[in-house]
Amino acid sequence: MKQGTMQFLRAAALAAAASLASFGAGAQNIKIAYIDPLSGGGATIGEHGLKHLQFLVDTINAKGGVLGGQKLEAVAYDNKGSPQESLVQVQKAIDAGVRFITQGNGSGAAIAISEFISKYNERNPGKEVLYFNYAAVDPALTNEKCSYWHFRWDANSDIKMAALTNFMKDRKEIKKVYIIGQDYSFGHAVRGAAVAMLKQKRPDIQVVGDELHPLLKITDFTPYITKIKASGADSVITGNWGNDMSLLLKAAADAGLQVNWYTYYAGGAGGPTAIKQTGLDHRVFQISEWHTNVPSPSMEAFADSFLKKYGGDSGQGWWYLRMKNQMDMFAGALNQAKSADPKKVAVALSQMKFKNELGAETFMRASDHSLFQDMYISSFGSGTKHDEEKTGWGWKTMGVIKAQDTVIPTSCKMVTPS
Amino acid sequence: MSTIARYWAWIAAALALVALPHIFSSGASITMMSLMGFAVIFALSYNMLLGQTGMLSFGHAVYYGLGGFITAHALNIIGAGKLPIPLPVLPLVGGLAGLSFAIIFGWVSTKRAGTAFAMISLGVGELVAACSLILRGFFGGEGGVSTSRTSTLQLFGLSFGPQIQVYYLIAAWSLACVGAMYAFTRTPMGRMCNAVRDNPERAEFVGYSTQMVRFIAFCTSGFFAGVAGGLAAIHYEIVTASVVGAAPSGFVLLMAYIGGVAFFIGPIIGAILMTALQISLSDYTGAWQLYVGLMFVLMVMYAPLGLAGLLLMHRPLISAGVFSRLLPGYALAAVPALALFAGAVLVIETAHHLLVKASDGPAMRVFWVSYDANSPVAWTVFAALIATGFLAFRRTWPVVSGAWHEATLEARRKLAK
Amino acid sequence: MLELVVFSSLNGVLYGMLLFLLASGLTLIFSMMGVLNFAHASFYMLGAYFGFQISRYIGFWPGLVVAPLLVGVIGALVERYGLRTVHKHGHVAELLFTFGLAFIVEELVQMVWGKIPVDYRIPGALNFSAFTLFDTTFPAYRMFMLLMSIGIFLGLLVLLTRTRVGLIIQAALTHPNIVGTLGHNVPLVFMMVFGVGCGLAALAGVIAGPALVTQPAMAASLGPILFVVVVVGGLGSLSGAFVASLLIGLIQTFAVALNISLADVMAHLGVTLTRESFGGDLWMATVAQVAPIIPYLLLVLVLIFRPHGLMGNRDT
């Protein structure tokens, strides 16, 4: 009994000490922290993204890991979608010995993290941290707010909007467009780009509505749908993601709104199910770097194995080719640098050329650390090989933009640390 | 407490604040101690309302958050204009901001007391939170306002880049604010607050305007909340709209109440404990907020004086030298209490594992024991722990209360001599 | 424009009636026991989740009956073993107790059903459109929600004004002590009212769950609005709660439809304001953007200038 008590006390003291003292620094695994919303309105996609990362880490480890046998390890932190909370979590991750951080959902959080890491690296030489951004597409991140420690694997929202409007400009049936978006930096960027580019490419198109709604707070989009309906729009442009996309589509289905949708993220959780409900066959378009029906045997097999493992009841499959690019390139950079030192990894990454799973060439631009890759415009509907969320409908390619055609200039003045 | 003893208590606190980062020197622990620093100020400022003046506020984060925003803006202006203002005085800006907003909102909300005040504070809180999404020039929209603490005038070669320097800044401000708030409780004004809390009618009869007393308490409290917010802004170098929201307002209530609102030291204990729990407990269990919630509700039900109340209850007994008589009873009751506690924790952890981490499989480990989460044996053991713990605790409790009763009587007898 | 008005009114009334289902219970509980139940919206959430869980096994319709009953029993137990213990510490302690309870319920819900929204589907029998007006359809399920909440409202009205139980409750609203001296078991009445209030909230949850997303944040986002309704209507006044519910429901729905900002109004008066002028964001904010503020502004103003609320007869 006495010994037991002593043991208990010692263990309790150890636990207390561990909470204050430093966390194990001698860990063998190379940790990558996933900082995204795992609760609240963004959690649906945050959780699914985490499964992506876990699957990629497992795949890389199963192939023997990196640097001749070292393993990668994914650690998840919930930022609740808030920029400030993200910084608390980044700090926690750094204290836990993490040197590589990935985040994607929410440009507000992304900008906060990028600025924090720049400051942190400047103040803590020798303890640098890298930030891999797989989805936050605010153009500012690779323009006026660019950072040497930030790398982005997704095309920024201007590139995507340029591709979307190029596609829209040839569709003569578009007369009236309604723009709806989330009220934050990314939503503003989408709206600004859409208005400017439409004006330039199709001055005859009338923008009949220009709406911003609170981010991830609306549970009933019916009033907004009523408004779109009343405006007489034939097309809607939206950058919405997460619940804001699926609930918007759901409300549209309930009200029987018959318009064409030009979206960034209609393929996110619940989106396909909601589109099927609206009955809009091949009238919802999405711009992305990949979709499940891009022909490529190896990528299709990869997506299938993910679906089998994590698809579950919802049937949500693989979304982010860009995260696969990211992790494959990260592993490649580690091996190329022959070190897990973030500074060396950053050098290797900053001008890497990479042939992705589709066999297509992609390249990281050194001047703003953003990856250029082929982009696909696809529409959602019947008659496809692979379907989404067990709806029987899937994405069909409507147009491809080659990587070199997506290159747009950057205002970034990259400061390379000595 | 004699004056000299009190004097030594402050010196000891100051020495402890200086020494702590040398004992716990990792980045994580210094960060945590910094968080504790401004949490203590925030919780104490909250208790000026709830504990001292009897005003239950559901919107105290408004002053904390606005103090933070103004501090961040001030930092940016100072950095851009190269104004010769050093960083250490900036929390004062936050405090003044908190004070100004407390004057504005306090003017309307302190007209009422009781439930009406609580409701107005909730309304003001929600109002400011909703405004934060509209006035994006000031609140910085969803991305918040970011700033840099190193761009100010540097005195004595302190850049305030390294976390340790910020820790000492926060520690110094915390000590000063705690001292000031303690002094406030000793002033006639502080005493009037207590009178307004305990018997507003009599306070009115004596000739004081209860509304004015509430207003002054509210403004003072807003000032210190603003200081805490300013320190938080310096620490994080970003302030976002979420800091004026309902969550931090609720959390400060939990901190103050769990610590004990009837004692000056209560919110300090609460702030330190809750900050530690918030940061470390979440590393051990995903259900940490559930524990916090349960702890709060149990406190409200059975120990409304909070942790400080439970500790300070023993002071007369210790000074009378009869504390040791309680120990056998405590030791006896501790066994079933621990069993009950362990059983409850095991149930929560196992359920959490089964429900939240279902994909990890049933194998799990709690309290250095490995078992299968879905094994009936384990659940039977938990049920037995809880049931026997509960029944035995009820049996042993009379022993404790009997010993308590005797010891108190003895203590009174001794003190009467 | 007409369709906007028609559909916004329908949705506004619908939202208002749902609010009333919650507000009626809350205001009854407050007037009898003096407890502002912070956890009331949590019982609404529990109703939605219970309804979801039951609908997965035996369908939506049994859930409509079973879930509110279950939650009602839980509510009664909470009153009996929780609130009554705390009662001796005063009203602040009671308020704090329900505050803590709301916290715990949210955590438990997250633990049991996860942090992401659950897939609570509209029953197949109601998955069609009720009518089409100006080629906008109005879903049958929304029609059902509307009729349900109006039905319950009428039921409550009858119960309170035409039955003996209603008489006792009405008497207890204003003079609880006298009702006690008349020999009625006031604690039992309290427990029943608390249970029934929670059950009503749960019923609102079951019918709102499929249409308005069942997720752990639903209680926290509805709770404050609920207080606004009860306080604006006048604490203890059921008719006040009814008026305030409809008012808030309509305000919230119509505000979204209006894209007018102060700058637009001023433009008509010949004054040009831009985002760059002093207080720019304030002038440029449209009514739609300001919508979330309006209820709270109303709350603060009512508490200051009309502490009885719109139709209440006692001070807050």
Side-chain angles (χ1 to χ4, degrees):
Chain A
M1 175 67 200
K2 198 155 205 175
Q3 205 183 349
T5 322
M6 274 314 289
Q7 238 167 14
F8 174 80
L9 283 178
R10 205 178 301 147
L14 268 177
S19 67
L20 278 170
S22 99
F23 295 86
Q28 284 298 304
N29 295 344
I30 298 171
K31 290 183 186 169
I32 176 157
Y34 178 84
I35 298 179
D36 256 320
L38 301 172
S39 59
T44 2
I45 51 172
E47 294 264 7
H48 203 58
L50 179 58
K51 290 174 189 159
H52 278 63
L53 183 66
Q54 192 59 54
F55 193 72
L56 285 167
V57 164
D58 291 346
T59 311
I60 292 170
N61 286 344
K63 284 185 191 154
V66 291
L67 295 173
Q70 254 187 300
K71 299 278 186 250
L72 294 180
E73 182 186 341
V75 211
Y77 295 88
D78 179 10
N79 71 0
K80 304 175 185 81
S82 134
Q84 184 163 328
E85 186 66 28
S86 304
L87 300 192
V88 178
Q89 300 304 333
V90 170
Q91 183 73 54
K92 265 175 85 173
I94 292 175
D95 289 338
V98 171
R99 308 288 293 276
F100 303 96
I101 282 163
T102 186
Q103 181 270 353
N105 296 310
S107 291
I111 291 171
I113 293 176
S114 177
E115 288 182 345
F116 175 85
I117 287 180
S118 300
K119 273 183 254 180
Y120 179 87
N121 289 350
E122 190 187 313
R123 289 173 197 166
N124 298 278
K127 294 181 186 172
E128 286 82 359
V129 176
L130 292 191
Y131 166 33
F132 301 154
N133 168 1
Y134 69 89
V137 297
D138 189 328
L141 280 161
T142 45
N143 284 294
E144 66 270 23
K145 291 191 174 169
C146 69
S147 155
Y148 180 77
W149 311 104
H150 162 262
F151 293 85
R152 173 154 71 195
W153 271 267
D154 201 358
N156 78 34
S157 74
D158 287 349
I159 295 174
K160 289 186 177 183
M161 187 51 77
L164 264 186
T165 44
N166 276 343
F167 178 71
M168 291 173 78
K169 119 186 136 193
D170 301 329
R171 296 176 70 97
K172 293 293 168 220
E173 71 273 20
I174 302 177
K175 299 266 184 295
K176 290 179 174 177
V177 169
Y178 199 101
I179 303 167
I180 183 164
Q182 296 150 317
D183 195 0
Y184 80 112
S185 56
F186 164 67
H188 290 256
V190 170
R191 164 219 224 177
V195 172
M197 290 176 185
L198 279 179
K199 198 171 182 180
Q200 187 203 344
K201 293 173 188 169
R202 275 286 299 275
D204 61 308
I205 290 183
Q206 198 188 343
V207 177
V208 290
D210 185 356
E211 181 95 47
L212 292 172
H213 62 78
L215 176 67
L216 297 173
K217 289 216 168 59
I218 311 277
T219 53
D220 184 9
F221 275 95
T222 312
Y224 293 96
I225 295 295
T226 314
K227 224 167 142 182
I228 295 177
K229 189 97 194 181
S231 74
D234 54 53
S235 304
V236 177
I237 297 179
T238 179
N240 279 14
W241 50 268
N243 280 2
D244 283 344
M245 187 71 238
S246 53
L247 295 178
L248 182 68
L249 286 168
K250 191 176 162 198
D254 282 348
L257 180 67
Q258 296 286 319
V259 295
N260 289 336
W261 294 82
Y262 295 90
T263 75
Y264 282 38
Y265 303 114
T273 309
I275 302 173
K276 181 74 193 294
Q277 273 176 27
T278 61
L280 294 174
D281 197 0
H282 289 293
R283 290 182 65 183
V284 178
F285 302 90
Q286 175 178 256
I287 172 89
S288 56
E289 81 286 3
W290 176 79
H291 58 82
T292 38
N293 288 306
V294 173
S296 157
S298 71
M299 189 59 208
E300 283 172 63
F302 179 82
D304 280 344
S305 60
F306 177 81
L307 186 65
K308 206 171 282 165
K309 182 159 183 199
Y310 288 114
D313 293 339
S314 61
Q316 281 162 13
W318 188 262
W319 292 343
Y320 305 129
L321 174 66
R322 50 185 185 263
M323 201 195 260
K324 182 161 170 44
N325 293 342
Q326 170 187 314
M327 292 308 288
D328 287 347
M329 285 173 75
F330 175 41
L334 283 168
N335 292 335
Q336 194 182 321
K338 296 192 182 64
S339 151
D341 177 7
K343 269 183 101 166
K344 292 181 182 153
V345 174
V347 171
L349 269 180
S350 67
Q351 36 208 344
M352 191 178 252
K353 287 194 172 26
F354 173 71
K355 185 174 268 192
N356 69 13
E357 195 70 45
L358 305 173
E361 290 296 341
T362 68
F363 59 95
M364 185 65 78
R365 182 161 72 179
S367 58
D368 66 347
H369 288 183
S370 85
L371 186 84
F372 290 90
Q373 58 202 323
D374 297 353
M375 298 299 290
Y376 291 82
I377 290 180
S378 50
S379 70
F380 191 72
S382 55
T384 58
K385 183 175 170 195
H386 300 277
D387 71 337
E388 301 286 327
E389 299 187 354
K390 300 177 180 167
T391 54
W393 285 11
W395 294 101
K396 189 172 107 190
T397 303
M398 302 297 287
V400 188
I401 304 101
K402 283 295 179 197
Q404 58 270 24
D405 298 332
T406 65
V407 176
I408 56 172
T410 171
S411 65
C412 172
K413 295 185 182 63
M414 187 64 78
V415 184
T416 312
S418 48
Chain B
M1 223 195 306
S2 70
T3 327
I4 295 182
R6 202 182 297 148
Y7 184 65
W8 279 110
W10 289 106
I11 292 184
L15 287 177
L17 286 177
V18 172
L20 273 173
H22 297 287
I23 302 166
F24 305 106
S25 56
S26 75
S29 43
I30 289 176
T31 303
M32 194 200 286
M33 288 186 292
S34 306
L35 296 184
M36 285 173 178
F38 50 81
V40 163
I41 305 180
F42 189 30
L44 276 176
S45 82
Y46 183 79
N47 204 39
M48 274 189 165
L49 299 180
L50 181 59
Q52 267 190 277
T53 327
M55 294 192 283
L56 176 61
S57 166
F58 288 112
H60 201 52
V62 166
Y63 312 98
Y64 171 79
L66 288 174
F69 273 108
I70 300 271
T71 308
H73 282 301
L75 256 175
N76 286 340
I77 293 170
I78 292 169
K82 301 279 173 227
L83 301 180
I85 299 173
L87 186 76
V89 302
L90 269 161
L92 197 63
V93 175
L96 292 175
L99 177 66
S100 321
F101 284 104
I103 291 174
I104 299 169
F105 295 129
W107 189 248
V108 290
S109 53
T110 55
K111 284 185 179 170
R112 320 291 309 282
T115 311
F117 172 81
M119 289 292 98
I120 298 181
S121 70
L122 182 81
V124 168
E126 293 287 339
L127 197 63
V128 173
C131 277
S132 65
L133 296 171
I134 294 166
L135 303 177
R136 46 183 60 251
F138 179 75
F139 290 100
E142 182 254 5
V145 177
S146 54
T147 180
S148 170
R149 61 187 176 224
T150 49
S151 55
T152 52
L153 177 73
Q154 298 186 358
L155 292 182
F156 314 114
L158 290 175
S159 67
F160 289 105
Q163 188 57 41
I164 183 77
Q165 295 181 5
V166 178
Y167 164 79
Y168 280 118
L169 176 70
I170 292 174
W173 268 96
S174 301
L175 196 65
C177 287
V178 171
M181 282 188 268
Y182 183 73
F184 181 80
T185 62
R186 305 271 131 181
T187 60
M189 178 60 215
R191 300 297 187 190
M192 267 327 289
C193 289
N194 297 355
V196 168
R197 171 195 65 196
D198 296 333
N199 199 334
E201 273 185 351
R202 273 189 74 176
E204 287 269 4
F205 282 143
V206 180
Y208 285 91
S209 155
T210 53
Q211 187 189 332
M212 192 41 94
V213 173
R214 282 198 299 268
F215 179 63
I216 293 174
F218 193 84
C219 294
T220 320
S221 157
F223 173 79
F224 286 109
V227 171
L231 288 169
I234 291 171
H235 172 83
Y236 290 121
E237 300 187 287
I238 184 173
V239 193
T240 60
S242 58
V243 296
V244 292
S249 288
F251 201 70
V252 72
L253 166 61
L254 293 193
M255 288 198 287
Y257 199 88
I258 288 179
V261 291
F263 305 92
F264 184 78
I265 194 149
I268 302 181
I269 298 175
I272 291 175
L273 178 78
M274 296 291 283
T275 310
L277 286 183
Q278 190 180 19
I279 294 180
S280 354
L281 199 57
S282 59
D283 293 336
Y284 296 105
T285 165
W288 73 273
Q289 284 176 308
L290 184 62
Y291 291 108
V292 170
L294 285 172
M295 183 161 83
F296 176 73
V297 166
L298 287 176
M299 284 290 203
V300 173
M301 288 176 75
Y302 300 110
L305 291 178
L307 291 174
L310 291 180
L311 292 175
L312 293 179
M313 252 165 49
H314 296 93
R315 209 164 65 182
L317 302 187
I318 293 171
S319 56
V322 292
F323 177 64
S324 54
R325 299 191 188 185
L326 291 176
L327 292 177
Y330 277 180
L332 188 63
V335 177
L338 269 179
L340 187 59
F341 174 74
V345 169
L346 282 165
V347 165
I348 292 176
E349 285 306 308
T350 314
H352 184 261
H353 186 92
L354 276 180
L355 292 162
V356 180
K357 295 189 195 150
S359 58
D360 294 1
M364 63 177 294
R365 191 177 166 81
V366 180
F367 292 145
W368 315 278
V369 183
S370 300
Y371 59 94
D372 263 10
N374 49 11
S375 92
V377 181
W379 284 93
T380 319
V381 171
F382 305 158
L385 268 176
I386 292 182
T388 52
F390 179 71
L391 292 175
F393 187 73
R394 277 189 24 174
R395 291 299 273 291
T396 52
W397 188 245
V399 181
V400 175
S401 63
W404 176 264
H405 193 67
E406 258 175 47
T408 327
L409 284 180
E410 178 69 23
R412 264 190 221 146
R413 220 174 297 140
K414 278 195 180 174
L415 289 176
K417 265 179 203 168
Chain C
M1 197 61 207
L2 184 63
E3 60 190 291
L4 201 64
V5 173
V6 171
F7 281 95
S8 295
S9 314
L10 274 174
N11 286 317
V13 170
L14 170 61
Y15 187 57
M17 291 307 293
L18 274 179
L19 274 180
F20 177 71
L21 278 189
L22 282 114
S24 54
L26 186 61
T27 200
L28 275 181
I29 291 167
F30 177 80
S31 16
M32 297 184 86
M33 310 166 65
V35 183
L36 253 185
N37 182 10
F38 239 92
H40 204 69
S42 308
F43 290 103
Y44 158 79
M45 173 159 78
L46 276 185
Y49 274 99
F50 281 16
F52 159 72
Q53 199 62 45
I54 294 166
S55 76
R56 290 186 78 178
Y57 294 112
I58 46 176
F60 176 83
W61 302 105
L64 193 60
V65 181
V66 178
L69 285 178
L70 273 177
V71 176
V73 169
I74 293 176
L77 291 176
V78 163
E79 199 282 330
R80 175 65 189 82
Y81 294 101
L83 269 182
R84 219 176 279 183
T85 317
V86 185
H87 186 69
K88 57 178 179 286
H89 303 314
H91 284 329
V92 168
E94 288 176 310
L95 195 59
L96 290 176
F97 173 78
T98 59
F99 178 77
L101 191 65
F103 201 79
I104 292 178
V105 170
E106 187 173 329
E107 287 309 311
L108 281 179
V109 162
Q110 286 194 0
M111 204 166 118
V112 177
W113 287 282
K115 291 175 173 177
I116 61 179
V118 293
D119 183 23
Y120 192 3
R121 297 256 172 98
I122 290 169
L126 286 174
N127 201 0
F128 60 95
S129 52
F131 61 86
T132 307
L133 195 68
F134 314 108
D135 60 76
T136 301
T137 53
F138 195 73
Y141 189 75
R142 281 183 180 258
M143 208 63 211
F144 161 75
M145 286 165 77
L146 191 59
L147 294 177
M148 267 301 278
S149 37
I150 293 178
I152 294 161
F153 167 66
L154 294 176
L156 263 183
L157 204 67
V158 170
L159 178 84
L160 284 173
T161 54
R162 297 272 182 274
T163 65
R164 200 179 151 69
V165 178
L167 276 181
I168 298 173
I169 291 176
Q170 280 205 332
L173 279 180
T174 44
H175 301 96
N177 296 334
I178 298 181
V179 174
T181 47
L182 283 175
H184 293 288
N185 186 349
V186 174
L188 184 72
V189 174
F190 279 10
M191 196 173 98
M192 297 304 288
V193 167
F194 200 90
V196 171
C198 293
L200 272 181
L203 184 62
V206 180
I207 59 181
L212 300 180
V213 188
T214 304
Q215 57 174 1
M218 64 195 286
S221 62
L222 193 71
I225 291 280
L226 208 53
F227 283 120
V228 174
V229 168
V230 183
V231 174
V232 168
L235 281 165
S237 158
L238 273 178
S239 41
F242 180 69
V243 173
S245 300
L246 284 183
L247 186 69
I248 302 270
L250 287 170
I251 286 180
Q252 293 225 320
T253 321
F254 269 98
V256 171
L258 294 174
N259 271 342
I260 305 162
S261 66
L262 270 176
D264 298 336
V265 177
M266 297 306 268
H268 280 290
L269 302 173
V271 184
T272 317
L273 290 167
T274 62
R275 199 167 284 282
E276 281 67 44
S277 40
F278 179 74
D281 292 325
L282 207 57
W283 310 124
M284 298 308 288
T286 62
V287 177
Q289 281 177 294
V290 187
I293 302 184
I294 299 173
Y296 302 108
L297 209 55
L298 202 63
L299 170 80
V300 174
L301 292 178
V302 161
L303 278 168
I304 295 164
F305 296 109
R306 205 183 150 81
H308 300 318
L310 293 180
M311 310 181 86
N313 44 17
R314 62 157 94 172
D315 217 354
T316 312

